[in-house]
Amino acid sequence: MAKVVYGYWNKELYDNRGKHLFEIAPLENFKEFDEFDPGNPLRAYIGHKGFFVFEHGISILDSFRHYLSKAADESCGKCTPCRVGTQILKRKFDTLVDGEGGIEELVEIEKLCDHMKRTSLCGLGQSAPVALLYALKHFRDEFEKEIGNKAGIKKRPVYAYATTPCIEACPAKVEVPKYIDYIKDGKFAHSVGVVLKKYPWAATCGRVCVRFCELACKRTNVDEAVGIKVLKRFVADRERYVTDHWFSKDLIKNPKHKDLKVAVIGTGPAGISAAYHLLLNGYHVDVLEALPEGGGMAKVGIPNYRLPSEILDKEISIIEELGGRIRYNQRLGKDFNLKQLLNEYGYKAVFLGIGAHKGKIIGIPGEPQEIPTPILLEQGKRPEYKYAAHKTREAKKEVFGYKQGINFLLDVNNFVINQGQPLQLGEKLVVIGGGNVAMDCVRSALRMGVKDVHLVYRRTKAEMPADHEEVEAAEKEGVIFHELTHPTQLKVENGKVVGLELTKMELTEPQDGRRRGVRAVPNSEFCIECDYVVPAVGQAVDVDSLAEETVALNKWGLIDVQEETMMTNMDGIFAGGDCVTGPATLIEAMAQGEKAARCMDDYLQHGRVLFSPEDRMSKIIDGLTKKDDEQLYVPVKARRRTRVAELDPEYRKRKFDEVEKSISVEEAYGEADRCLRCYRISLVVTDR
């Protein structure tokens, strides 16, 4: 565990100079600093809130020289204090490290740092001098000892990393401020290019992303988060005709030998992302999909009013434009197995992106205890449902008017969207759950003509895991919410749902720092008479497809992988997305696909997965920011975010037309200008 010789972080001073390392108590709350990579101790760290020195004899001059050099490289150059200030500081530290100059330089350096912090127009210029100001205030003697050292300063290897809170919050680590900077400059094609470096579904993500980046946006300290998602959609939609010409085999600069074939199983966000990056790295990629259409749960689980099919289809086609092959109606465990792919068909590695498509039961009386897994044999045909082994004949019976949320949305996509065929849902429908799948179910039911649509959730509306904008949209469209309500029995007569019995719940007092629990309110039972019940309470991996494989599963029934390598217990078999994490978000699945592609490339080129300094720096920053309250250094005038135009609720709830519209060029300029460009520099000093 790291032991701090001296340093300052988040208003806390550490000074153990004069002590041997064994006399210094380790930092209990900063376990991130043990070592940078295996066998490579971390000797010092500099960040936006201060610095730590972990070993006697580390040069503070040389460490800050590298830190300020990185700041100078990252400066956007749009304001004088940062553009000029970082360059002057860099030159002064170069001179001091070379043994020139005197301690009088520290006075000018301190004044310049203070001026940069107070007058720079973006987060980079405001935060870059902070650690140096603290070091000069509390440990000036350490600088003075090194200045004028003609014998030379012992220099150590360093790794510098520039990032922002929104980048770190994004699972895919999209460089958000960079694509916003391009929008400010009117370079819309450049902007979408920044996104496409990370994943091919720019227009898709610009519509359905859950916006982890906006939750981390420091603009919320002033007014509202920057509209990062709507800006992404804006550039993706505006440049769709330009990007049509970007993707071809010519984009692949270093094609690999024809024998370096890779198989990707699944065309969901994880599989497509993995295939995309493998293709760009020159591999020959075949994508195997169980359904007759691509997109996975993004296609069959996200209704058209949020994500039009043609948008997703276009972005899936990028794989084929890059030279990849997509083979539909190819189901793992039925049409092929993993050993065949490796031993008979010549694939050198395989990525499993099979998702988590199987719904979960609630576990109440009257509910069918076996969940059908849908298999679409060909486009336009009714899904054939297969079942796991049944313990009783009763379990085989399908209850009419009862269907898991995922299967419900699949039917909506297959029949209503693709064929224009109505579903018989009756006049009153109840959905159980509070996530995005539940919101998609209730809003879709309204669009299919159900008069009364109810949503039942055991906690409060504020605790619903669904995107708050989806909750608000459902309310506007007329969904009836039942908070703090839990189902107790499904009422079935003659094989048909006739109602749902429920009980009221209440919040308990929090214990041990955990969130408040819920318990049933005595004598609060009631019943909603209804024609259809849709439980949307979670999803699981369909392990039937893995029945003949030796891929290890964990205790949650998910594919077990090594976190750092994404490899399963089978050599050459990698996995990612919902089948590894459990039901998550589209952006998280795409990030897993990209990471797996990088690990597969390392595996095929080097026989092992290489250390990623970027991933390591992200973990360090994540550990620090959990203990850190971000503040703005320079006051910012409040400006509300751009409001996105929507179809009127009374009109849209009868149609599957896309609800949200893209913003205008003028609105995009205005929204992009709200970005504070909160770049922070982090630097580690190591042994190698």
Side-chain angles (χ1 to χ4, degrees):
M1 198 173 293
K3 297 181 177 183
V4 176
V5 176
Y6 65 96
Y8 184 96
W9 188 267
N10 198 26
K11 302 179 183 178
E12 189 165 351
L13 182 69
Y14 303 84
D15 192 352
N16 294 305
R17 293 174 295 175
K19 297 180 181 179
H20 293 291
L21 281 179
F22 64 82
E23 298 177 296
I24 301 172
L27 278 180
E28 292 287 341
N29 296 324
F30 294 93
K31 298 178 182 178
E32 301 85 6
F33 294 126
D34 286 351
E35 57 184 5
F36 191 54
D37 54 304
N40 187 21
L42 203 154
R43 302 302 189 187
Y45 174 84
I46 304 175
H48 69 289
K49 282 284 187 174
F51 70 102
F52 296 106
V53 174
F54 302 114
E55 184 181 275
H56 295 286
I58 294 297
S59 170
I60 195 167
L61 271 181
D62 190 52
S63 300
F64 273 102
R65 175 175 71 93
H66 286 290
Y67 186 80
L68 294 166
S69 178
K70 181 67 173 179
D73 292 342
E74 294 294 332
S75 175
C76 67
K78 292 183 179 179
C79 73
T80 303
C82 180
R83 180 182 71 246
V84 177
T86 53
Q87 293 293 338
I88 293 174
L89 287 172
K90 177 180 177 296
R91 288 198 296 271
K92 284 185 176 295
F93 270 83
D94 283 343
T95 300
L96 291 173
V97 169
D98 290 340
E100 306 296 332
I103 60 174
E104 67 277 359
E105 294 280 4
L106 297 178
V107 176
E108 187 175 345
I109 287 172
E110 192 168 16
K111 288 181 179 178
L112 181 55
C113 285
D114 182 64
H115 181 71
M116 278 181 59
K117 177 184 172 182
R118 290 185 293 103
T119 60
S120 294
L121 297 182
C122 81
L124 177 69
Q126 295 167 19
S127 65
V130 171
L132 180 53
L133 282 170
Y134 288 139
L136 289 170
K137 179 180 179 180
H138 298 289
F139 304 103
R140 186 181 292 261
D141 56 324
E142 293 293 331
F143 291 91
E144 293 175 351
K145 282 193 298 187
E146 294 186 37
I147 290 174
N149 183 356
K150 298 297 182 180
I153 291 170
K154 184 178 179 181
K155 300 175 183 179
R156 299 287 190 104
V158 303
Y159 182 80
Y161 179 74
T163 190
T164 64
C166 55
I167 293 174
E168 291 307 306
C170 174
K173 299 293 183 286
V174 174
E175 198 168 352
V176 174
K178 189 170 186 178
Y179 80 68
I180 292 179
D181 279 347
Y182 279 132
I183 294 173
K184 292 178 185 178
D185 295 340
K187 298 177 179 178
F188 304 137
H190 290 67
S191 178
V192 74
V194 173
V195 180
L196 292 171
K197 286 176 65 177
K198 289 294 185 177
Y199 50 75
W201 286 7
T204 295
C205 199
R207 286 167 165 81
V208 301
C209 188
V210 296
R211 311 184 313 281
F212 293 114
C213 52
E214 292 184 22
L215 293 176
C217 179
K218 296 309 165 187
R219 184 87 201 189
T220 55
N221 291 336
V222 182
D223 38 52
E224 297 174 289
V226 175
I228 298 170
K229 185 181 83 167
V230 299
L231 288 173
K232 187 188 303 177
R233 173 179 172 173
F234 165 76
V235 293
D237 285 359
R238 183 177 176 83
E239 298 303 307
R240 62 187 180 276
Y241 301 116
V242 174
T243 55
D244 283 349
H245 306 291
W246 283 7
F247 299 104
S248 70
K249 293 181 180 180
D250 296 334
L251 193 62
I252 301 167
K253 303 302 181 185
N254 299 299
K256 304 291 191 296
H257 189 274
K258 63 180 181 180
D259 288 342
L260 275 177
K261 297 195 306 178
V262 178
V264 171
I265 303 174
T267 58
I272 290 294
S273 178
Y276 177 71
H277 289 285
L278 287 165
L279 285 164
L280 291 176
N281 279 328
Y283 291 96
H284 304 274
V285 180
D286 288 338
V287 186
L288 309 173
E289 169 58 53
L291 298 177
E293 57 184 350
M297 286 311 304
K299 183 64 177 289
V300 301
I302 302 178
N304 263 30
Y305 63 80
R306 290 179 60 204
L307 176 60
S309 294
E310 60 271 16
I311 297 292
L312 185 56
D313 290 342
K314 177 61 183 173
E315 295 190 319
I316 292 170
S317 72
I318 289 173
I319 298 303
E320 293 175 308
E321 290 168 10
L322 288 172
R325 296 191 304 172
I326 302 179
R327 298 174 59 195
Y328 294 104
N329 297 304
Q330 295 295 307
R331 178 172 290 272
L332 175 64
K334 174 178 175 289
D335 301 296
F336 64 91
N337 61 46
L338 297 178
K339 290 181 180 178
Q340 283 179 316
L341 294 180
L342 294 175
N343 301 331
E344 296 179 29
Y345 304 145
Y347 294 104
K348 304 303 181 184
V350 178
F351 174 76
L352 283 168
I354 59 176
H357 294 208
K358 190 172 183 178
K360 291 184 177 180
I361 62 173
I362 306 170
I364 58 175
E367 180 186 27
Q369 298 303 297
E370 307 275 352
I371 300 172
T373 300
I375 302 176
L376 284 177
L377 296 180
E378 29 179 291
Q379 189 86 24
K381 284 192 176 181
R382 187 172 186 82
E384 171 192 326
Y385 289 95
K386 75 170 184 178
Y387 289 79
H390 302 287
K391 297 178 182 178
T392 66
R393 271 207 262 163
E394 188 64 27
K396 281 189 177 183
K397 293 181 179 178
E398 183 177 354
V399 175
F400 183 79
Y402 176 91
K403 189 163 289 185
Q404 263 71 26
I406 294 300
N407 293 349
F408 178 81
L409 292 174
L410 189 149
D411 279 359
V412 171
N413 178 74
N414 189 48
F415 299 120
V416 181
I417 304 300
N418 291 345
Q419 302 179 54
Q421 297 179 15
L423 294 178
Q424 301 302 317
L425 303 177
E427 295 189 352
K428 186 179 287 188
L429 178 144
V430 180
V431 174
I432 305 164
N436 281 333
V437 171
M439 296 305 149
D440 287 340
C441 289
V442 291
R443 297 181 69 190
S444 295
L446 286 172
R447 285 158 173 77
M448 291 185 289
V450 180
K451 291 183 180 179
D452 294 325
V453 178
H454 298 253
L455 185 87
V456 171
Y457 185 58
R458 68 194 299 262
R459 290 184 169 273
T460 65
K461 192 183 300 179
E463 295 173 282
M464 287 182 176
D467 190 322
H468 71 90
E469 291 186 353
E470 291 298 307
V471 177
E472 291 174 4
E475 281 189 292
K476 289 179 182 177
E477 292 170 3
V479 173
I480 302 165
F481 282 71
H482 299 269
E483 302 175 67
L484 289 170
T485 305
H486 186 64
T488 57
Q489 182 171 344
L490 183 70
K491 295 183 69 176
V492 180
E493 293 180 3
N494 300 320
K496 184 181 182 304
V497 168
V498 295
L500 184 66
E501 292 186 0
L502 307 113
T503 186
K504 286 291 185 181
M505 308 294 286
E506 62 183 2
L507 295 173
T508 61
E509 292 303 316
Q511 293 182 348
D512 301 326
R514 299 177 182 177
R515 70 171 181 168
R516 299 172 71 181
V518 291
R519 64 188 172 206
V521 177
N523 303 316
S524 63
E525 296 82 4
F526 68 102
C527 180
I528 298 178
E529 294 182 357
C530 58
D531 307 297
Y532 218 99
V533 172
V534 179
V537 293
Q539 297 142 242
V541 177
D542 177 17
V543 295
D544 289 353
S545 63
L546 298 171
E548 301 301 320
E549 309 292 351
T550 56
V551 175
L553 304 178
N554 60 26
K555 62 182 180 180
W556 296 284
L558 304 170
I559 297 175
D560 197 19
V561 301
Q562 301 171 34
E563 182 182 356
E564 299 301 323
T565 68
M566 307 295 287
M567 192 185 293
T568 69
N569 62 303
M570 294 180 65
D571 191 41
I573 305 294
F574 297 76
D578 287 1
C579 64
V580 168
T581 63
T585 63
L586 180 137
I587 186 66
E588 288 172 298
M590 290 195 295
Q592 289 249 308
E594 187 219 3
K595 180 178 179 179
R598 170 166 53 81
C599 293
M600 293 168 78
D601 182 38
D602 286 348
Y603 169 78
L604 293 171
Q605 297 300 313
H606 306 284
R608 62 186 177 90
V609 175
L610 304 181
F611 169 71
S612 169
E614 294 88 355
D615 288 353
R616 180 72 179 98
M617 290 298 285
S618 286
K619 285 188 176 181
I620 291 173
I621 291 167
D622 182 58
L624 286 171
T625 53
K626 286 177 181 176
K627 312 171 184 69
D628 188 9
D629 294 325
E630 289 277 359
Q631 298 295 329
L632 298 175
Y633 297 112
V634 178
V636 176
K637 183 178 179 181
R639 288 170 53 195
R640 308 300 285 184
R641 68 188 279 163
T642 298
R643 294 293 179 255
V644 178
E646 297 181 346
L647 295 178
D648 180 82
E650 286 301 314
Y651 170 80
R652 75 193 192 208
K653 72 181 185 181
R654 298 182 179 90
K655 297 178 177 291
F656 278 88
D657 294 352
E658 189 171 12
V659 170
E660 292 187 350
K661 303 301 178 185
S662 189
I663 59 177
S664 67
V665 174
E666 293 74 18
E667 289 171 326
Y669 280 133
E671 190 59 33
D673 196 50
R674 296 179 66 243
C675 177
L676 301 176
R677 204 171 183 275
C678 304
Y679 275 105
R680 285 92 168 87
I681 308 297
S682 293
L683 177 139
V684 293
V685 179
T686 65
D687 279 355
R688 64 167 189 263

